Amino acid sequence: MAGRDGRAHRLINFSSNDYLSLANDSRLSTAAISAIQEFGVGAGASRLISGTQSPHVRLEHALAKWKGTDAALCFSSGYAAAIGTIPALVGKNDVVLLDKLCHASLIDGAKLSGAIVRVFPHNNCRKLESHLEWARRQYPGRRVLIVTESVFSMDGDLAPLRQIVQLKKDFGALLMLDEAHAVGDRSARSRLGRRRKVE
């Protein structure tokens, strides 16, 4: 990178989300050049406006195969995924139980859903269980959605997923797992195992 003095400086970027150093991967550069030659430098509008194109379909099929799911749906950003998915799963008089350290996009998605929102202390399964008991008692027959992250972005710690999945099963709740900071991380995958994003 060139500084104000015009000389090149070697810097380490600690604020990037490019955890896997894919931004400069030659395979992606080649694929991007090929895509530009075929489709131009942009779709001209969002998928909602311009429609689904073959790259969307190929990407979603590849992601579904990689994650071992029946299907995948891509959003334009993590924020869009959060505010689009949560309101599709729950609505008024349903309940969303959020880990205290969930990303702001997940909190916004929960609020936009119109569901009753309760927060449990970070990674505290005992309090989560208490909230689940409360939800089943106060809102019988309604959907209950637990929302957490597999790897939390700020501290890098892991959710106790075995316990959370067991609680989900015990109470017949849904589970939405944000894996924005874990996808592609082999060490995280080996510790957490393979699982669906929403169960």
Side-chain angles (χ1 to χ4, degrees):
M1 169 181 268
R4 290 185 188 183
D5 57 6
R7 291 185 299 170
H9 297 273
R10 184 175 175 84
L11 303 173
I12 298 174
N13 184 354
F14 287 106
S15 61
S16 169
N17 287 332
D18 186 22
Y19 307 128
L20 304 177
S21 299
L22 293 175
N24 294 303
D25 187 286
S26 61
R27 293 167 297 177
L28 291 181
S29 299
T30 301
I33 291 167
S34 175
I36 287 170
Q37 290 172 338
E38 184 177 354
F39 298 100
V41 294
S46 68
R47 185 176 181 180
L48 178 66
I49 304 296
S50 295
T52 296
Q53 298 181 15
S54 57
H56 295 123
V57 175
R58 289 199 305 265
L59 174 60
E60 289 172 346
H61 284 211
L63 288 171
K65 183 178 179 182
W66 179 50
K67 295 298 285 181
T69 61
D70 294 333
L73 177 64
C74 292
F75 288 83
S76 59
S77 69
Y79 185 84
I83 65 170
T85 302
I86 296 175
L89 296 172
V90 292
K92 188 177 179 183
N93 293 326
D94 290 330
V95 178
V96 177
L97 304 176
L98 286 158
D99 186 288
K100 185 176 182 180
L101 294 189
C102 276
H103 190 270
S105 62
L106 297 169
I107 296 167
D108 287 350
K111 289 178 179 176
L112 282 171
S113 74
I116 295 99
V117 178
R118 288 197 81 171
V119 176
F120 59 95
H122 180 52
N123 282 345
N124 188 325
C125 287
R126 190 170 294 172
K127 193 63 175 178
L128 172 59
E129 183 174 9
S130 172
H131 281 355
L132 285 162
E133 289 169 349
W134 165 84
R136 282 295 169 234
R137 187 171 58 250
Q138 295 296 320
Y139 299 92
R142 302 301 304 185
R143 287 184 178 170
V144 177
L145 175 66
I146 303 165
V147 180
T148 190
E149 302 180 23
S150 55
V151 177
F152 286 84
S153 61
M154 298 306 290
D155 297 330
D157 58 340
L158 307 175
L161 291 177
R162 290 188 199 287
Q163 296 95 310
I164 291 172
V165 168
Q166 188 58 55
L167 286 170
K168 173 201 94 69
K169 290 177 179 175
D170 291 346
F171 286 89
L174 298 168
L175 171 62
M176 179 174 169
L177 184 63
D178 183 330
E179 292 205 285
H181 302 279
V183 169
D185 180 343
R186 287 185 182 165
S187 61
R189 278 211 313 274
S190 64
R191 284 174 294 178
L192 301 172
R194 295 178 68 183
R195 66 212 156 266
R196 296 174 187 270
K197 186 165 186 176
V198 178
E199 289 192 10

